[in-house]
Amino acid sequence: MKRISALLLSVLVSLNSFAVEVEVEVEVEEVEEVEAVEAVEAVEAVEAVEAVEAVEADLKGKLKNSQIDHLVETEIPGLYEVQTGQNIIYYHPEKKLFIFGEIYTVGGKSITAISKKMINNRILEKYIDKGITIGKVDAVNHIVEFTDPDCPYCRKYDNYITSQDESIKRTVFFSADLHPSARPKIVHLICTEDSEQREIDMNRIMAGEKFDFISCDKANGVIASHREIARKLRVTGTPTLFVNNVRVEGGANLTAISNLMIKRKEMKNES
């Protein structure tokens, strides 16, 4: 009986050792397979970057008067989307073809329109620090504004926003070109360093209140930078608003603004 038990124990040990060896071999094979996939993906990524660089070099010789801001291959193999300012064109380097117009899915969605929205988002992300911040920085809703203290529709919008119960972060870019009398008000807000006082004074100015305005050396440079950012975003009137990265059509479109803020709040609550 002892001899049989010893034999069974020996068999079990051997089987266990074999199982461990098989498991180790499987793990090694899985690791090698993952590493092989990662190596292929790395090579493909490098090749994709090199292809884009080659297309960009090719385009620079053809679009000598245009700056290429963004270049990416589309879902159509060999066809590239080219962003120059706010414009999007398509280029097929192999066929040497430029395509002007929009690309749609069979469901009617404009791929080009989505790309144009991303242009705005990239510009806003790049220059957002140039704006004047009003309100809480950690608020759920964020509105980027191109405004003018003497613009009637801007005042209408401001009255609506300041009447909201919830806190809103506002990043403000000023336009000093349409109403000359607005410039000293804009300079005052730019030069007011205290954020709480700036918000108070913004409300006073938008309400039409008159008081002594301050000035500072940096104001002219800030106004010039705001003008250039507005040009990049094709802002031609005030107010122009981006609510949570979505451009509002129709300026002081209070219904659209409200809907976009409600949507963001609902998304925040769901998460």
Side-chain angles (χ1 to χ4, degrees):
M1 187 68 179
K2 288 182 179 180
R3 185 178 298 174
I4 293 173
S5 297
L7 181 60
L8 285 173
L9 180 61
S10 176
V11 170
L12 289 173
V13 169
S14 298
L15 288 172
N16 186 56
S17 299
F18 175 73
V20 170
E21 289 177 3
V22 170
E23 185 176 349
V24 170
E25 287 179 0
V26 170
E27 289 179 354
V28 170
E29 288 177 358
E30 289 177 349
V31 170
E32 290 176 347
E33 184 177 345
V34 170
E35 290 176 346
V37 170
E38 290 177 346
V40 170
E41 290 177 346
V43 171
E44 289 177 347
V46 171
E47 290 176 347
V49 170
E50 291 176 346
V52 169
E53 290 175 347
V55 172
E56 184 173 6
D58 181 27
L59 279 169
K60 284 180 178 178
K62 295 176 172 60
L63 301 175
K64 295 180 180 179
N65 297 324
S66 300
Q67 179 179 327
I68 300 170
D69 297 310
H70 191 66
L71 178 67
V72 64
E73 188 173 14
T74 68
E75 295 181 13
I76 303 171
L79 184 67
Y80 288 81
E81 179 184 282
V82 186
Q83 176 203 332
T84 61
Q86 284 279 330
N87 298 314
I88 288 178
I89 60 176
Y90 298 95
Y91 178 58
H92 198 295
E94 184 180 343
K95 302 297 183 181
K96 303 298 180 186
L97 294 173
F98 283 113
I99 301 173
F100 296 85
E102 297 199 26
I103 295 178
Y104 286 85
T105 67
V106 292
K109 180 181 291 186
S110 172
I111 302 298
T112 308
I114 294 172
S115 295
K116 286 183 177 180
K117 178 183 175 183
M118 292 175 66
I119 291 175
N120 287 335
N121 290 347
R122 282 194 293 268
I123 294 173
L124 287 173
E125 184 178 358
K126 183 176 181 179
Y127 296 107
I128 197 71
D129 292 340
K130 301 290 185 182
I132 307 301
T133 302
I134 294 174
K136 293 185 178 180
V137 295
D138 59 347
V140 173
N141 285 291
H142 180 204
I143 303 179
V144 177
E145 313 171 11
F146 288 82
T147 191
D148 173 350
D150 285 354
C151 157
Y153 292 104
C154 298
R155 290 181 174 180
K156 174 185 175 183
Y157 155 76
D158 189 83
N159 182 61
Y160 169 76
I161 287 298
T162 55
S163 68
Q164 300 302 298
D165 293 333
E166 58 185 292
S167 62
I168 300 168
K169 178 185 176 182
R170 302 167 64 184
T171 301
V172 182
F173 295 87
F174 291 109
S175 171
D177 298 327
L178 297 177
H179 301 97
S181 60
R183 191 177 186 90
K185 303 168 188 176
I186 292 170
V187 169
H188 174 86
L189 293 170
I190 291 172
C191 298
T192 303
E193 298 293 343
D194 183 80
S195 59
E196 291 184 4
Q197 186 61 49
R198 186 190 305 124
E199 184 172 5
I200 292 170
D201 288 352
M202 177 79 165
N203 294 339
R204 294 171 68 192
I205 287 171
M206 284 300 193
E209 186 177 338
K210 295 181 180 180
F211 55 95
D212 292 332
F213 301 130
I214 64 173
S215 61
C216 58
D217 294 336
K218 70 176 183 178
N220 288 338
V222 172
I223 290 172
S225 70
H226 287 192
R227 183 186 298 112
E228 178 60 18
I229 295 165
R231 185 192 66 78
K232 289 179 181 292
L233 287 165
R234 289 189 175 177
V235 171
T236 57
T238 56
T240 295
L241 309 167
F242 296 83
V243 180
N244 302 320
N245 288 332
V246 178
R247 187 167 187 154
V248 177
E249 300 298 332
N253 185 338
L254 304 186
T255 300
I257 295 166
S258 176
N259 289 340
L260 287 167
M261 290 197 298
I262 291 172
K263 183 178 180 181
R264 172 56 63 90
K265 192 173 182 180
E266 289 174 348
M267 291 172 62
K268 183 73 174 178
N269 291 336
E270 289 175 0
S271 62

